[in-house]
């Protein structure tokens, strides 16, 4: 029962992370939103690593009771793969976060020079 709940909960959390991450990457490019998203990705990475360890322990218990542990081993494999993928994404996002934040400045209307002429300040001699 607990294993099923963990699998469903992790799927729901990944769904929420993907929806929130899509919104942040498309619309909200401020430092707080990007930092919140990076923190969420790192937290999910740790969550899947913890699930990997839990499923390994379940598999060991199943083997000690002389029953099949193939489902627990498979879930442990899925969890570690997801952990590695999320960790890689967090590292890439962390390395390129300044480009995401700079993208916001380029698209912001107050920095836009389209349709406006620039006049340098008058220099008095």
């Amino acid at each position: 029962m607990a294993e099923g709940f963990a699998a469903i909960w992790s799927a729901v959390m990944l769904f929420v992370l993907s929806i929130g991450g899509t919104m942040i990457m498309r619309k909200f490019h401020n430092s707080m939103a990007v930092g919140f998203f990076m923190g969420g990705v790192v937290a999910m990475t740790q969550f899947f690593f913890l699930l990997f360890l839990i499923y390994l322990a379940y598999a060991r218990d199943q083997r000690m009771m002389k029953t099949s542990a193939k489902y627990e081993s498979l879930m442990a494999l899925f969890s570690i793969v997801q952990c590695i993928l999320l960790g890689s994404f967090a590292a890439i996002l962390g390395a390129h976060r300044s480009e995401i934040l700079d993208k916001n400045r380029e698209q912001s209307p107050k920095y836009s020079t389209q349709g406006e002429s620039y006049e340098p300040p008058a220099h008095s001699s």
Side-chain angles (χ1 to χ4, degrees):
M1 182 72 177
E3 294 174 43
F5 176 76
I8 292 171
W9 181 253
S10 63
V12 168
M13 292 302 294
L14 278 176
F15 180 74
V16 169
L17 184 70
S18 65
I19 297 298
T22 301
M23 287 176 52
I24 288 171
M25 295 299 284
R26 287 188 180 177
K27 190 174 183 180
F28 304 106
H29 293 172
N30 56 23
S31 60
M32 184 172 169
V34 173
F36 185 78
F37 179 52
M38 285 176 54
V41 172
V42 170
M44 286 298 291
T45 302
Q46 293 172 350
F47 175 68
F48 275 99
F49 184 70
L50 181 64
L51 281 179
F52 165 70
L53 295 176
I54 289 171
Y55 283 125
L56 278 183
Y58 279 149
R60 188 186 68 187
D61 288 346
Q62 292 290 336
R63 284 198 274 300
M64 287 176 66
M65 292 188 301
K66 308 287 189 224
T67 58
S68 176
K70 65 181 178 178
Y71 296 115
E72 287 81 7
S73 300
L74 184 64
M75 288 301 289
L77 177 67
F78 286 155
S79 295
I80 195 66
V81 167
Q82 190 67 36
C83 174
I84 292 169
L85 290 173
L86 282 169
S88 301
F89 179 67
I92 292 169
L93 185 63
H96 297 286
R97 72 182 175 272
S98 62
E99 294 173 19
I100 295 168
L101 295 174
D102 289 342
K103 183 178 172 183
N104 184 34
R105 288 192 194 123
E106 291 171 4
Q107 294 175 352
S108 177
K110 72 177 184 180
Y111 292 106
S112 175
T113 58
Q114 186 177 16
E116 298 174 9
S117 63
Y118 174 75
E119 294 181 26
H123 182 29
S124 60
S125 301

